[in-house]
């Protein structure tokens, strides 16, 4: 007898992520939320290596989040599923995979630094997936912390309508609590205990003024609130809270809270805001398949779930899935569609769900079923990969998988002992299976095995994981960047004839190509052939051949980008023309056209933000210039200088050590990808 579906309305479920720049305090925020919700019995600390979500030894050694970790807790009668995401730019793909399956997010900002480079990057990712957010300005206890300055940086760089719903009580080391502007009460923390009371007399006038400004801002954005704002002297608390929720769900407004997670101040109202403002699975649009079919968040609907994370261990595979609709039970047979190994996108394989696990970071609790809105791990799926869809066999569906960025840095990896060569290959394959932003290939010229990723730290972590989990001694070469080639000046009317006759059916294809630079894109193909001289199916084959030719350019065998190819003419043979012949003509014809064009080598560049003491700024500027950096901005902040520059990625390798030596260990820097630029 199958277990009965529990009476658990989706309205009380919140699936959210914690997003931030590295060191903004999001892991500490997560730990305090778990502790206050009763999910843990003691406060975890990043510096002590005792956090729940940063459980991997590599994360505890480095003091940063590397892998997205899922945890759950209960607050005010609601079930909150949390994913703590990485903040370092090298792991932005891990953030994107998490955002793909989340309904809402908390964006954490440093009260001193405000919006930082990776804050902006993860914000744009959330914009791409339409994830509603609230903001939490953390570290108000730090010297130089200023809520208004941080909010202004949010307004200037991220969102035009931040709605501040709290007023700090005290500044820096005297920060003790907040005034709740929605309910007009003071929340004060002492020894980790929150107590509510009336607004202090010395803050009452300021609190009333800020409450009025909040009402005005909400009325400008919300029609229902505007009606009450015009009709009454003051907006009711219920109307204001309801309008804030509506504006959060639509993205028209951004609720901003503040506090200090490390000092246990401001977390309870943050949890209240999660429940009050962020969406449940019922509040988000139905999930849509690639064929346009929709599935609503209903446990009685056909199953639809997306695999967003895979842990391939020696003892088995854990597939983390978000269930969008339907119910998945232990022992059920599901259809795995999408990016299944060896199958087309629309094809699939049936698999049996042997176990379903409720995940609490590195601890798992077995459950009998998972319903719409759940985030769980499934054991027993052999063909499922990151981005595949799990659906009911009688109602197939393919959900859009998370996108994967192109790797930009490569290192050569080899086993020190020849007997470990096979183990190295299987270990690298497992790494790439867990993290699609890692790529493994063999260099055709040198025979070396190359591991490619998003940055130095990304590759360092991957190799460290290889050594720890596979107990393997490997040697690693110097990092190499992934260059590209582009067209500076193209050619017109290049004629290529592909004729092959070696017995039996021959091959004949005649194409005329124009090649020109393309601004703001990777590749475009067009056809201006008239009169049916090249049939439509052969035009598609020519395009496929041209895309094949982009894999290696004439300058150094690097991928080619930034060009437009136009098929202007061609000819066919009644018997010998075929898709294969025209695809070959497209590939070889474009290669010949590229050799005749003026080409340019491109190298990846990054935007570097360096924060240094004022007396060291001159030396740092000179060093960036020596690294072929282009300075794009410089501003003073207290006793420090913040320098922004665009620098070739190859010149950033080893920069941390150089910066520390120039600033006596007082300088810090962050990077984020800035595309490609001509190599100099």
């Amino acid at each position: 007898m199958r277990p009965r579906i529990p009476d658990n309305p989706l309205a009380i479920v919140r699936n959210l992520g914690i997003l931030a720049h590295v060191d903004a305090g999001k892991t500490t925020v997560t730990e305090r939320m778990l502790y206050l919700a009763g999910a843990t019995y003691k406060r975890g600390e990043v510096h002590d290596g005792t956090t729940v979500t940063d459980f991997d030894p590599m994360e505890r050694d480095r003091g940063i989040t590397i892998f997205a970790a899922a945890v759950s807790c209960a607050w005010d009668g609601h079930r909150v599923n949390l994913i703590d995401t990485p903040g370092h730019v090298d792991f932005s793909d891990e953030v994107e995979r998490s955002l793909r399956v989340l309904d809402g997010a908390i964006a954490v900002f440093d009260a001193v630094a405000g919006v930082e480079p990776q804050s902006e990057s993860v914000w744009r990712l959330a914009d791409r997936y339409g994830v509603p957010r609230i903001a939490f300005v953390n570290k108000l206890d730090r010297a130089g912390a200023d809520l208004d300055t941080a909010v202004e940086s949010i307004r200037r760089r991220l969102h035009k309508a931040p709605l501040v719903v709290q007023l700090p009580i005290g500044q820096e080391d005297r920060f003790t609590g907040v005034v709740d502007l929605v309910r007009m009460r003071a929340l004060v923390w002492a020894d980790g205990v929150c107590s509510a009371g009336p607004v202090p007399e010395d803050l009452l006038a300021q609190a009333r003024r800020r409450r009025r400004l909040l009402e005005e801002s909400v009325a400008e954005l919300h029609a229902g609130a505007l009606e009450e704002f015009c009709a009454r002297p003051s907006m009711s608390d219920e109307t204001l809270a309801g309008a804030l929720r509506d504006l959060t769900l639509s993205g028209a407004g951004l609720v901003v809270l503040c506090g200090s997670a490390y000092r246990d101040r401001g977390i309870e109202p943050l949890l209240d805001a999660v429940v009050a403002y962020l969406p449940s699975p019922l509040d988000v649009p139905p999930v849509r398949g690639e064929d346009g079919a929709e599935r609503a968040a209903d446990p009685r609907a056909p199953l639809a779930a997306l695999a967003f994370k895979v842990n391939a261990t020696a003892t088995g595979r854990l597939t983390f899935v978000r269930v969008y609709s339907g119910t998945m039970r232990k022992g059920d047979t599901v259809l795995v569609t999408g990016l299944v190994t060896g199958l087309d996108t629309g094809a699939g394989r049936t698999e049996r769900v042997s176990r379903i696990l409720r995940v609490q970071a590195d601890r798992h609790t077995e459950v009998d079923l998972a319903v719409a809105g759940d985030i769980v791990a499934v054991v027993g799926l052999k063909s499922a990969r990151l981005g595949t869809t799990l659906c009911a066999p009688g109602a197939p569906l393919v959900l859009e998988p998370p996108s994967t960025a192109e790797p930009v840095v490569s290192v050569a990896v080899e086993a020190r002992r020849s007997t470990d060569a096979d183990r190295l290959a299987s270990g690298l394959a497992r790494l790439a299976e867990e993290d699609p932003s890692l790529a493994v290939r063999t260099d055709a010229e040198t025979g070396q095995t190359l591991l490619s990723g998003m940055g130095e730290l990304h590759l360092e972590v991957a190799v460290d994981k290889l050594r720890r989990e596979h107990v393997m001694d490997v040697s690693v070469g110097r990092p190499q960047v992934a260059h590209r080639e582009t067209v500076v000046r193209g050619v017109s009317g290049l004629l290529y004839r592909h004729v092959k006759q070696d017995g039996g059916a021959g091959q004949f294809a005649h194409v005329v190509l124009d090649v020109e630079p393309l601004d703001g894109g990777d590749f475009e193909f067009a056809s201006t052939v008239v009169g049916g001289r090249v049939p439509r199916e052969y035009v598609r084959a020519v395009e496929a051949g041209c895309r094949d030719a982009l894999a290696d350019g004439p300058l150094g065998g690097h991928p080619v980008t930034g060009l437009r190819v136009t098929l202007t003419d061609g000819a066919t043979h009644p018997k010998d023309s075929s898709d294969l012949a025209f695809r070959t003509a497209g590939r070889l014809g474009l290669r010949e056209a590229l050799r005749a064009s003026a080409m340019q080598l491109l190298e990846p560049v990054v935007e570097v933000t360096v924060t240094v003491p004022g007396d060291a700024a001159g030396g740092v500027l000179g060093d960036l210039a020596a690294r072929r950096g282009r300075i794009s901005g410089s501003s003073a902040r207290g006793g420090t200088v913040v320098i922004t520059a665009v620098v070739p990625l190859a010149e950033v390798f080893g920069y941390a050590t150089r910066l520390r030596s120039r600033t006596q260990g007082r300088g810090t820097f962050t990077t984020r990808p800035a595309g490609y630029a001509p190599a100099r």
Side-chain angles (χ1 to χ4, degrees):
M1 179 175 158
R2 286 187 169 180
R4 178 180 162 283
I5 298 175
D7 184 17
N8 181 20
L10 295 180
I12 65 170
V13 176
R14 299 290 184 271
N15 292 316
L16 63 131
I18 313 291
L19 312 175
H21 184 89
V22 66
D23 287 337
K26 63 191 176 315
T27 297
T28 304
V29 169
T30 305
E31 291 295 321
R32 297 305 188 266
M33 293 173 78
L34 293 175
Y35 175 75
L36 290 170
T40 57
Y41 68 93
K42 64 178 292 186
R43 299 172 179 86
E45 302 292 355
V46 174
H47 56 270
D48 291 336
T50 57
T51 57
V52 172
T53 53
D54 288 354
F55 58 85
D56 191 277
M58 290 181 286
E59 295 177 307
R60 293 183 170 178
D61 288 349
R62 292 172 171 83
I64 61 170
T65 301
I66 296 173
F67 310 107
V71 290
S72 297
C73 63
W75 184 260
D76 193 24
H78 291 69
R79 179 157 57 83
V80 179
N81 298 321
L82 278 166
I83 296 184
D84 180 23
T85 64
H88 196 283
V89 65
D90 282 14
F91 307 104
S92 56
D93 254 34
E94 188 91 354
V95 181
E96 181 160 358
R97 291 191 287 271
S98 300
L99 283 170
R100 174 65 179 82
V101 299
L102 293 172
D103 299 329
I106 301 171
V108 180
F109 301 94
D110 188 316
V112 178
V115 176
E116 298 176 270
Q118 188 63 2
S119 310
E120 199 166 349
S121 298
V122 296
W123 189 273
R124 302 304 174 209
L125 289 177
D127 281 343
R128 182 187 305 172
Y129 290 106
V131 178
R133 279 143 281 173
I134 60 176
F136 181 70
V137 179
N138 192 26
K139 302 188 178 183
L140 274 180
D141 60 314
R142 285 185 59 195
D146 189 292
L147 176 61
D148 291 339
T149 302
V151 170
E152 184 55 35
S153 71
I154 294 172
R155 187 193 313 277
R156 190 174 63 254
R157 298 175 62 178
L158 301 181
H159 199 291
K160 63 182 180 181
L163 304 170
V164 184
V165 298
Q166 291 176 341
L167 170 66
I169 299 176
Q171 289 183 326
E172 300 178 353
D173 59 350
R174 297 186 302 279
F175 170 68
T176 58
V178 297
V179 174
D180 178 359
L181 298 177
V182 177
R183 299 175 65 180
M184 287 304 287
R185 58 176 183 165
L187 301 173
V188 178
W189 285 265
D191 299 323
V193 178
C194 177
S195 58
V199 179
E201 285 294 330
D202 58 332
L203 290 176
L204 189 56
Q206 185 181 1
R208 286 172 176 165
R209 185 173 68 255
R210 293 208 176 207
R211 162 71 183 233
R212 188 63 178 174
L213 290 173
L214 175 62
E215 291 178 3
E216 290 175 1
S217 300
V218 169
E220 289 177 1
L221 301 168
H222 193 280
L226 176 62
E227 184 176 342
E228 184 171 319
F229 181 78
C230 296
R232 298 177 53 180
S234 178
M235 198 181 294
S236 69
D237 297 352
E238 292 73 19
T239 298
L240 180 57
L244 289 171
R245 176 175 171 80
D246 292 342
L247 294 173
T248 300
L249 297 184
S250 67
L254 175 70
V255 172
V256 181
L257 301 97
C258 60
S260 169
Y262 182 66
R263 303 293 180 192
D264 302 311
R265 295 163 191 166
I267 302 302
E268 292 94 336
L270 177 61
L271 280 164
D272 290 338
V274 165
V275 169
Y277 306 131
L278 289 180
S280 73
L282 297 175
D283 297 316
V284 298
V287 67
R288 184 187 295 269
E290 292 186 349
D291 60 353
E294 292 186 347
R295 297 280 173 85
D298 182 357
R300 296 177 296 276
L303 175 67
L306 181 70
F308 68 95
K309 185 178 177 68
V310 174
N311 276 357
T313 66
T315 57
R317 301 173 76 252
L318 277 182
T319 305
F320 292 77
V321 301
R322 160 69 192 269
V323 183
Y324 285 102
S325 71
T327 301
M328 179 169 54
R329 296 177 174 85
K330 178 181 176 180
D332 276 358
T333 297
V334 298
L335 181 67
V336 182
T337 62
L339 308 174
V340 184
T341 303
L343 296 176
D344 294 332
T345 298
R349 291 176 179 164
T350 55
E351 298 244 22
R352 183 176 177 273
V353 178
S354 60
R355 296 166 64 202
I356 301 174
L357 306 176
R358 183 86 59 195
V359 180
Q360 192 76 353
D362 58 339
R363 303 192 306 273
H364 309 132
T365 304
E366 191 163 348
V367 295
D368 291 328
L369 53 79
V371 300
D374 278 343
I375 295 177
V376 294
V378 179
V379 181
L381 304 180
K382 297 179 181 178
S383 62
R385 297 293 183 267
L386 194 149
T388 53
T389 302
L390 278 59
C391 54
L397 186 76
V398 178
L399 300 176
E400 179 188 357
S403 60
T404 302
E406 290 283 333
V408 294
V409 183
S410 302
V411 292
V413 182
E414 64 179 27
R416 291 188 183 274
R417 294 190 296 269
S418 58
T419 53
D420 286 341
D422 291 341
R423 290 179 58 226
L424 174 64
S426 64
L428 290 172
R430 188 174 294 168
L431 287 178
E433 180 183 341
E434 293 182 351
D435 185 355
S437 59
L438 289 170
V440 182
R441 65 182 178 89
T442 302
D443 189 287
E445 294 184 2
T446 64
Q448 290 179 308
T449 300
L450 299 180
L451 177 64
S452 304
M454 303 306 298
E456 271 190 294
L457 181 59
H458 190 204
L459 294 177
E460 181 185 319
V461 166
V463 172
D464 197 3
K465 191 171 185 180
L466 194 66
R467 288 170 173 154
R468 290 189 188 218
E469 296 187 2
H470 299 269
V471 195
M472 191 183 306
D473 191 11
V474 296
S475 59
V476 181
R478 187 179 183 275
Q480 301 290 329
V481 299
H483 288 87
R484 296 286 186 270
E485 299 177 25
T486 191
V487 174
V488 177
R489 186 179 65 256
V491 295
S492 298
L494 186 134
L495 185 152
Y496 187 85
R497 294 171 60 90
H498 175 64
V499 181
K500 186 177 181 181
Q501 194 74 44
D502 52 2
Q507 294 185 27
F508 178 90
H510 172 184
V511 296
V512 179
L513 303 175
D514 287 353
V515 177
E516 58 184 325
L518 174 65
D519 292 331
D522 294 331
F523 174 72
E524 279 186 10
F525 181 87
S527 172
T528 58
V529 177
V530 295
R533 292 179 60 81
V534 180
R536 184 175 299 175
E537 61 269 23
Y538 292 165
V539 171
R540 289 196 294 267
V542 174
E543 179 180 359
C546 289
R547 292 186 181 277
D548 293 342
L550 299 178
D552 52 348
L555 296 181
H558 309 294
V560 181
T561 186
L563 74 159
R564 179 186 291 112
V565 177
T566 305
L567 177 66
T568 60
D569 200 0
T572 62
H573 187 278
K575 291 184 178 180
D576 293 345
S577 290
S578 63
D579 281 356
L580 176 62
F582 272 90
R583 183 164 185 162
T584 303
R587 183 179 75 252
L588 299 180
L590 181 54
R591 284 183 178 174
E592 187 171 311
L594 292 176
R595 286 193 291 269
S597 301
M599 304 292 293
Q600 186 173 56
L601 187 66
L602 302 177
E603 63 180 342
V605 294
V606 293
E607 183 183 89
V608 179
T609 302
V610 188
T611 304
V612 296
D615 57 0
V620 170
L621 285 167
D623 187 47
L624 289 172
R627 293 173 182 267
R628 299 186 287 139
R630 298 193 307 274
I631 308 300
S632 55
S634 177
S635 61
R637 183 188 296 162
T640 63
V641 175
V642 180
I643 302 166
T644 306
V646 177
V647 185
L649 178 60
E651 300 289 350
V652 180
F653 298 148
Y655 182 59
T657 303
R658 179 77 172 191
L659 181 64
R660 281 195 296 267
S661 66
R662 281 190 171 273
T663 62
Q664 289 79 47
R666 297 176 293 165
T668 60
F669 80 102
T670 59
T671 64
R672 66 170 177 172
Y676 283 81
R680 292 181 286 164

